Amino acid sequence: MNVLAKAADLEAAAPAGAFVQEVTSVQHYTDRLFKFRMTRPASFRFRSGEFVMIGLMIDGKPLYRAYSIASPSWDEELEFFSIKVPDGPLTQHLQKIQPGDAVLMKKKPTGTLVNDALIPGKRVYMFSTGTGLAPFASLIRDPETYEKFDQVIVTHTCREVAELKYGLDLVEETKNDPLIGELAQEKLVHYTSVTREDYPFKGRITDLIESGKLFTDLGVPPLDPAIDRGMICGSMEMLKDTKALLEKAGLNEGANNKPAEFVVERAFVG
């Protein structure tokens, strides 16, 4: 397969409506997860929590997948947190990028995991599995999130302990950030669980919600539609099951054009 990853080659072949951006850093966490950062077009605007289409030119054709932007809207670069699928049409190639390579990015961001899609509340839960943490990586670095909520609880569930590393580093950096560190130290709570290895908090997030263990561990009351808000991003099964639990607790699903108590993101990478 012929994959164009050099800026000059990509600029010459790029389709209309796409930016060509240079990769500035790459970090691999496990054989399944990596993050990369790239330059941000001066004209590109987005709301923290949105996603955009990222791609490469493969055999003369652009191939895109939806990626949540993990950096906040004020960041000068764009960050993405990705899975590696051995035979994934895009990620089998994207995981090989190096600093100095280039990728395609479509010009229009979108998505439902934004502060505007939630009605005011006191506490927001950001439920994530795997790379579903990415939009929340953006939101917890945005001052607006802390202006809107008294408590920000990010849950991140992975199969193995090593897969939690991106999130653990992210939260530590956020709490030490000169812009929002003070707010994050006061309001941000990070709850991690693992499903396939021994760990202090073990199990699927849906089981931890249903049993009430999540709330006991956090020292907070169960979900209350009067004050609690939710955002969900993860596998299709996790989305369906977590959505059902929030609805059972009396929360209603919202959207950009109809804010409510919780929102779900359904964009996936492969």
Side-chain angles (χ1 to χ4, degrees):
M1 277 189 183
N2 180 28
V3 180
L4 297 183
K6 298 303 174 189
D9 297 337
L10 210 47
E11 289 278 8
F19 293 115
V20 174
Q21 297 305 124
E22 184 179 332
V23 176
T24 58
S25 67
V26 181
Q27 182 173 350
H28 294 268
Y29 291 96
T30 69
D31 59 0
R32 295 182 66 247
L33 299 171
F34 74 108
K35 81 167 179 183
F36 61 98
R37 289 178 68 86
M38 66 187 202
T39 55
R40 175 177 177 172
S43 62
F44 184 68
R45 298 286 178 271
F46 70 98
R47 295 178 296 170
S48 296
E50 289 189 314
F51 67 86
V52 72
M53 303 303 287
I54 293 288
L56 294 169
M57 288 291 290
I58 300 172
D59 290 339
K61 296 178 182 176
L63 179 65
Y64 294 98
R65 290 291 184 269
Y67 268 85
S68 290
I69 304 168
S71 44
S73 58
W74 52 262
D75 200 325
E76 292 179 1
E77 290 189 335
L78 297 174
E79 180 176 307
F80 299 92
F81 183 39
S82 179
I83 56 170
K84 308 175 191 179
V85 182
D87 55 355
L90 178 63
T91 59
Q92 65 170 305
H93 305 294
L94 193 65
Q95 65 182 281
K96 298 170 185 171
I97 57 172
Q98 302 287 334
D101 287 347
V103 296
L104 296 170
M105 183 178 81
K106 287 195 177 179
K107 297 186 175 182
K108 185 171 171 48
T110 189
T112 54
L113 296 182
V114 293
N115 283 316
D116 294 347
L118 294 176
I119 57 175
K122 291 189 175 180
R123 182 186 297 118
V124 62
Y125 287 90
M126 300 177 178
F127 298 109
S128 69
T129 55
T131 56
L133 182 63
F136 306 141
S138 176
L139 284 159
I140 67 169
R141 290 185 273 190
D142 192 321
E144 185 193 343
T145 303
Y146 300 102
E147 289 166 13
K148 191 162 183 176
F149 299 101
D150 296 337
Q151 192 173 36
V152 179
I153 298 173
V154 179
T155 80
H156 189 208
T157 302
C158 294
R159 297 176 187 178
E160 299 163 4
V161 176
E163 296 175 344
L164 298 172
K165 176 71 172 161
Y166 172 78
L168 293 168
D169 288 350
L170 166 76
V171 169
E172 184 179 355
E173 288 164 14
T174 301
K175 290 188 174 183
N176 291 307
D177 184 271
L179 177 67
I180 42 127
E182 201 171 321
L183 287 168
Q185 285 178 32
E186 180 190 344
K187 297 186 175 186
L188 178 61
V189 177
H190 186 207
Y191 184 93
T192 52
S193 66
V194 166
T195 59
R196 295 190 180 177
E197 292 183 329
D198 284 336
Y199 193 68
F201 304 110
K202 190 170 182 182
R204 297 179 185 278
I205 191 61
T206 45
D207 293 337
L208 295 167
I209 294 170
E210 200 162 19
S211 68
K213 187 176 188 306
L214 172 67
F215 310 109
T216 303
D217 289 343
L218 292 170
V220 298
L223 291 169
D224 178 352
I227 61 169
D228 289 324
R229 304 294 171 256
M231 294 179 162
I232 312 170
C233 192
S235 67
M236 288 301 290
E237 184 184 6
M238 177 266 192
L239 296 182
K240 177 174 68 73
D241 293 346
T242 309
K243 171 180 152 81
L245 289 170
L246 266 58
E247 288 176 336
K248 185 179 175 183
L251 283 71
N252 298 298
E253 183 175 359
N256 280 300
N257 60 356
K258 190 185 175 186
E261 289 89 12
F262 78 92
V263 284
V264 179
E265 188 58 83
R266 296 180 172 87
F268 281 89
V269 173

